[in-house]
Amino acid sequence: MASSVVVSCLAQLENPSTPITDKSGGYRRLLQQISTDSFPDELSTNLSAFIDSVLGDTLGIVAARPLIGAYVDAIRGVSSPEVKIESGRYALEALQSRVVSYEEQDASIREILADAFQEQEEYVEAAKILQGLQLESSQRKISDEVKVRTWIRICRLYLEEDDTTSAESYLNRAKNLLYKVEDKELNLMFQLSQARILDSRRKFLEASQTYHGFSLSLALAEEERAFALSKAIVCAVLAPAGPQRSQTLGKLFKDERALQLDEYGILEKMFLDRLISPQEVTNFAKKLAPHQLAETADGSTVLAKAVIEHNLLGTSRLYNNIGVIELGNLLGLNAAKSEEYAARMLEQRRLFGRIDQIDGIIFFSEQEGSGDKGTVKQANKARDHGVRRWDRNVQGLAENVEKVSSLLQSTYPAYVSTSLAH
């Protein structure tokens, strides 16, 4: 309940005998007194009593509107987030039935409330308050920049709680008007939000490319650029192995700034197709976000799957062929699982070769897949490539036999004449 002093002053102001010309000044003086003299536990109730009186029958809309504006300034100056939230919510409820007449004041209160909720780390509540803003209004002109800024802020608030579905819906609204906005900072905020959504949805390759583009902006501080580059490397490592990821890894590896980052070690091994040890995977996993450590449908984590596929691709660079049992030993899997990984990558054209299931051997080809499904033309090309490779191997073997024979004849002519058939 409001303090007795405030109740008494409001009663005097609401008295019909008080001249209307004195009421506006009286309300302003009272609001100033409430803001400076109220005890902390009475401030919220005193402010609520003030707005109830202003919105009552004592004043008309024309006289009440500037007083509501003064009330907005008063709660903006309150230091306690809890008081801001309590007073702001009460004011929104009081204005709800007549919000058309007080749209600007309603919008200001919502922004103050959102700031207070954000300070309390109640991000979803802050987003919900901002969702109530009237951005398509006939009462006031709202620029496209203000709309985009509001939608991106709501998007980022939802991202703080990993609600990518809600975040993406507001990012898409901003996307439709972004081309009309020239503010570079706003465009960068959009780009970062887009990267975070792609990251959360495990579209790591696209997220890496977006983060890398963000890290190249000269409008950012050096620390922010380094952070974005670090995120780009992490997402590239987690992306499915294949030609597209190799291109992304190449761009990141050639970025001189990457040398200064902790993730450079695993980036180097990924780009150079070197095998990654379990200990390196464990150390890298400590830096990942929860969604990046989530399990996939087959029970493995995103990181484990990415490393297995990378090591399989690296193995194809080291060997022409390998048994599925030996491959499993290299990958830390059983034979059936290693064959399953190889078959999937072959089918998706992220690895090139064939599997001899009878003998349990995987034959690798030097050609890389394109990431598309196989076609008849590609199959013929693969067959012709295999035939040419066979021809080269036979020719090489014949040449080596000829060299050995020539060496024997020059070094041991007597032995050759008596022991070797002509």
Side-chain angles (χ1 to χ4, degrees), residues 397-418:
L397 178 61
E399 289 174 353
N400 287 335
V401 170
E402 182 64 29
K403 287 179 183 178
V404 171
S405 176
S406 300
L407 285 171
L408 285 173
Q409 287 178 357
S410 62
T411 308
Y412 306 105
Y415 172 79
V416 171
S417 62
T418 58

Side-chain angles (χ1 to χ4, degrees), residues 156-214:
R156 297 180 73 183
L157 288 168
Y158 276 121
L159 283 175
E160 291 297 329
E161 294 291 340
D162 292 326
D163 186 351
T164 54
T165 303
S166 299
E168 190 170 20
S169 68
Y170 281 92
L171 191 72
N172 288 336
R173 293 188 191 188
K175 185 178 181 180
N176 294 331
L177 289 179
L178 193 66
Y179 70 96
K180 297 182 179 179
V181 177
E182 297 181 358
D183 190 312
K184 291 183 179 180
E185 182 184 354
L186 206 54
N187 277 271
L188 287 172
M189 288 168 64
F190 175 87
Q191 193 175 354
L192 179 59
S193 299
Q194 190 174 45
R196 290 180 63 183
I197 289 174
L198 291 169
D199 185 359
S200 297
R201 290 190 175 278
R202 301 183 194 173
K203 296 180 179 180
F204 294 118
L205 189 61
E206 294 144 284
S208 176
Q209 293 165 350
T210 308
Y211 274 128
H212 190 217
F214 183 79

Side-chain angles (χ1 to χ4, degrees), residues 325-346:
I325 296 175
E326 288 75 15
L327 178 62
N329 293 336
L330 281 176
L331 301 180
L333 303 170
N334 58 41
K337 203 70 176 175
S338 65
E339 184 181 334
E340 180 184 329
Y341 269 94
R344 186 187 304 117
M345 291 183 69
L346 287 167

Side-chain angles (χ1 to χ4, degrees), residues 86-135:
E86 188 175 349
S87 303
R89 274 185 159 166
Y90 189 90
L92 288 182
E93 290 176 5
L95 291 171
Q96 188 173 8
S97 61
R98 59 195 93 186
V99 70
V100 175
S101 303
Y102 300 97
E103 275 190 12
E104 188 172 344
Q105 291 77 13
D106 178 85
S108 298
I109 293 171
R110 288 184 181 277
E111 288 173 1
I112 294 169
L113 266 178
D115 291 339
F117 277 124
Q118 194 168 345
E119 188 178 343
Q120 297 288 82
E121 297 185 358
E122 296 182 40
Y123 301 112
V124 173
E125 289 299 322
K128 288 179 178 178
I129 287 294
L130 291 175
Q131 284 177 241
L133 285 169
Q134 302 292 325
L135 296 179

Side-chain angles (χ1 to χ4, degrees), residues 242-244 246 273 313 317 349-352 365-371:
Q244 289 184 323
S246 297
D273 291 325
L313 204 59
R317 302 286 193 270
R349 314 287 294 177
R350 293 189 286 129
L351 186 68
F352 210 84
S365 168
E366 296 175 359
Q367 181 176 343
E368 285 195 10
S370 63

Side-chain angles (χ1 to χ4, degrees), residues 17-78:
S17 62
T18 303
I20 191 69
T21 54
D22 296 340
K23 288 187 177 183
S24 179
Y27 273 113
R28 287 184 180 277
R29 288 190 294 272
L30 176 60
L31 182 60
Q32 180 65 31
Q33 183 181 345
I34 290 172
S35 300
T36 56
D37 299 343
S38 293
F39 291 109
D41 58 340
E42 293 179 339
L43 181 55
S44 179
T45 53
N46 286 344
L47 287 170
S48 299
F50 175 87
I51 200 168
D52 280 340
S53 179
V54 170
L55 293 175
D57 299 329
T58 307
L59 301 171
I61 293 176
V62 175
R65 191 176 287 133
L67 292 176
I68 299 298
Y71 172 88
V72 170
D73 293 335
I75 62 171
R76 184 181 284 114
V78 173

